Amino acid sequence: MPQKLLILLFFFSSFFASAQSITWRTDINDAVAASAEKRKPLLIFFTGQGVNPQLQNEIFSTRDFEEWSRKNVILVKLDLSDLSIPDQTKEQNLRLKNAFGIEEIPQVCFSEVTVRKGKTNFNKLGLISYRSSGVKSWISESNLILNPE
């Protein structure tokens, strides 16, 4: 009996560990550093309290998205309604929202980042919202933004 319990615990712990492996950065400065280090563009998810959860539930919580994002982007989640973040960070997040032309949330912006002489420059690659056509279609559209032909 104890051996079966150990096997069951191992199975569940490995399952939950893999399901929790997506890392969303909430500090844009941390994300910029990771982007420079790993040479990957940013996927900036602009969201807020009370927004439609379909993008998170049907796209971001899938294994396909997890595998794709790990290979292709640095994930950034900016919650524009988070009252626990400092005012300076709130202002910075709102400036980014406006600079990228985000008019409604939730929405995703893809951006390349360069840092030269202490100045950070963002190059907006494109915007994408929730699509009811599924995760594979969403990833395909994201790939077209990241790798235009």
Side-chain angles (χ1 to χ4, degrees):
M1 181 70 173
Q3 186 179 12
K4 287 182 182 178
L5 184 58
L6 284 174
I7 291 170
L8 191 61
L9 284 173
F10 176 76
F11 172 75
F12 280 120
S13 66
S14 64
F15 173 77
F16 287 119
S18 68
Q20 300 294 325
S21 63
I22 288 184
T23 301
W24 287 93
R25 297 171 193 278
T26 57
D27 180 325
I28 194 68
N29 298 314
D30 178 41
V32 165
S35 175
E37 177 187 328
K38 296 181 180 182
R39 297 178 184 236
K40 292 181 183 180
L42 300 176
L43 179 158
I44 307 171
F45 174 44
F46 290 92
T47 189
Q49 186 175 14
V51 300
N52 189 329
Q54 288 179 302
L55 186 59
Q56 286 184 283
N57 295 342
E58 296 176 25
I59 306 297
F60 298 158
S61 65
T62 66
R63 183 170 299 281
D64 287 338
F65 177 79
E66 176 186 337
E67 291 172 6
W68 174 84
S69 66
R70 199 176 306 121
K71 293 176 192 170
N72 294 287
V73 293
I74 302 298
L75 297 172
V76 185
K77 182 177 182 180
L78 300 180
D79 185 336
L80 302 173
S81 64
D82 188 349
L83 300 175
S84 67
I85 60 175
D87 288 342
Q88 182 179 358
T89 303
K90 284 180 200 175
E91 290 173 23
Q92 181 182 42
N93 293 348
L94 283 173
R95 282 195 308 271
L96 285 170
K97 174 188 171 279
N98 294 333
F100 287 128
I102 305 295
E103 294 181 7
E104 58 184 60
I105 56 173
Q107 193 163 40
V108 169
C109 178
F110 292 98
S111 179
E112 292 176 333
V113 182
T114 55
V115 180
R116 290 198 179 102
K117 298 181 182 178
K119 182 171 168 80
T120 303
N121 293 304
F122 293 92
N123 176 28
K124 176 179 153 185
L125 301 173
L127 301 173
I128 186 171
S129 298
Y130 168 74
R131 304 276 193 268
S132 61
S133 51
V135 67
K136 292 190 186 304
S137 175
W138 197 92
I139 288 171
S140 178
E141 188 172 341
S142 296
N143 283 334
L144 289 174
I145 293 171
L146 293 173
N147 305 300
E149 297 178 309

